Amino acid sequence: MSRKPVRDMNQETLLSELNDRSREVFRRVVQAYLETGEPIGSRTLTRELSEKVSAATVRNVMQDLELLGLLDSPHVSAGRLPSQLGLRLFVDGMMEIDNVTPTDRAAIDQTLGNDDPDTGMLLDRVSTTLSSLTHGASLVLMPKHEAPIRHIEFVSLAQDRALVILVFADGHVENRIFTPPPGQTPSSMREAANFLNAMAEGKTVAELRSFMAREIAARRRELDVLAAELVDSGLALWDNEASDPRLIVRGRANLLDSEAADLDRIRVLFDDLERKRDIVEFLELTEEGDGVRIFIGSENKLFSLSGSALVVSPYMNADRKIVGAVGVIGPTRLNYGRIVPIVDYTAQLVGRVLSGRKG
């Protein structure tokens, strides 16, 4: 095997550099990493190879693979791990994709089998199921809803928590929890809801938001102070959330289980997920083509944590327009062969379920 600079090679060239022995060594190093997260040494590999060769021969092969940029050596005396380039080469050119198991398929089907008019709650269950099946953190990007509003209602949950319920003309229901202005009473909530409903019927969320911005000052005298503050809160809520797709994140605790030795990296990832950064970019990642995409390490520009992997797939509406996405994020040693078909199947099923609804 010659030793050309890795920067001059594409994946096809790199694969052509690997003979049968080096391919098997490389594949076993990657598989060991995906299973254990630990480097593997030449002596261990020698016992596992189909060809009977010495540990010295295996060491030479591993050194060649390292020179090609496919393996890394964390310590001088330690075994080898796949590099980011090596993982990408394995995922794109050598990985065997499993079928969705009957058990996984049944769990996903059951999640989407309930006739729930609230798309948010439906996709929340999808996100919870994805994180449970994959043992990673799941991401589900909800579509924004364009149907006209039929009814708005405020419900007090606690002194500092309230619920706004939006019922759309197509039967779709959205619930949003927010912090109301202090001092709200059932009377002020009813007054605020009546005021909004008088303006809302027949308008989409975007149209209502624009209309309210023009009308709220002129008609504020129709409301008492508390109700006016609540209407302002509702306007701010729609400005911040309802006009954009919404990202649901579940299963953060799974990341602690998978990478407990590197808590600093996981805290950074938690922080990014909590802030739900770059939601629009997350959707844009999926708009470049249909099907599952895999981002490994620094290829994943969504999060400041470079040691993560993201498996993501778009889902489409009845018009074959991409309206959202589902994905799984975790350490780079994700079980890609199992997770890729799970994400793909979930995205296709979500698209079919949402396309079958009215509106």
Side-chain angles (χ1 to χ4, degrees), residues 95-290:
M95 180 177 67
E96 296 181 1
I97 300 294
D98 301 329
N99 293 321
V100 181
T101 68
T103 301
D104 292 341
R105 185 185 296 267
I108 299 166
D109 289 348
Q110 183 178 15
T111 297
L112 288 162
N114 298 327
D115 188 18
D116 194 329
D118 190 329
T119 298
M121 293 183 67
L122 178 73
L123 294 181
D124 188 275
R125 289 199 305 272
V126 169
S127 191
T128 299
T129 299
L130 264 182
S131 67
S132 175
L133 292 177
T134 62
H135 306 294
S138 63
L139 311 174
V140 174
L141 192 62
M142 289 180 56
K144 58 183 178 181
H145 204 75
E146 301 289 356
I149 297 169
R150 188 169 67 197
H151 184 72
I152 299 172
E153 185 174 350
F154 292 105
V155 178
S156 178
L157 301 177
Q159 190 172 6
D160 59 347
R161 293 173 71 230
L163 184 72
V164 58
I165 303 171
L166 284 82
V167 181
F168 293 86
D170 62 358
H172 173 78
V173 178
E174 284 189 16
N175 302 315
R176 299 182 186 273
I177 295 176
F178 70 106
T179 302
Q184 290 297 322
T185 65
S187 175
S188 64
M189 287 193 167
R190 282 194 302 272
E191 185 178 357
N194 291 337
F195 179 80
L196 287 172
N197 283 317
M199 295 188 290
E201 188 170 3
K203 296 182 179 65
T204 66
V205 170
E207 290 168 345
L208 177 62
R209 190 175 64 251
S210 175
F211 184 78
M212 285 175 64
R214 297 193 304 268
E215 295 292 318
I216 189 69
R219 303 181 62 177
R220 185 182 295 271
R221 284 174 297 181
E222 299 177 22
L223 299 167
D224 68 20
V225 175
L226 289 178
E229 289 177 349
L230 190 59
V231 169
D232 283 337
S233 296
L235 179 60
L237 179 71
W238 290 314
D239 273 340
N240 292 335
E241 295 187 24
S243 61
D244 295 318
R246 186 163 66 93
L247 188 64
I248 303 172
V249 181
R250 295 291 179 267
R252 294 176 180 85
N254 290 335
L255 300 176
L256 286 173
D257 294 337
S258 63
E259 291 284 297
D262 200 348
L263 294 180
D264 288 340
R265 288 202 308 114
I266 296 304
R267 287 192 187 99
V268 172
L269 179 54
F270 273 27
D271 200 31
D272 287 343
L273 291 175
E274 190 64 36
R275 288 197 301 269
K276 299 181 179 179
R277 297 170 17 157
D278 301 324
I279 294 177
V280 174
E281 185 178 353
F282 178 60
L283 179 58
E284 289 175 349
L285 289 175
T286 70
E287 290 180 340
E288 298 175 16
D290 191 6

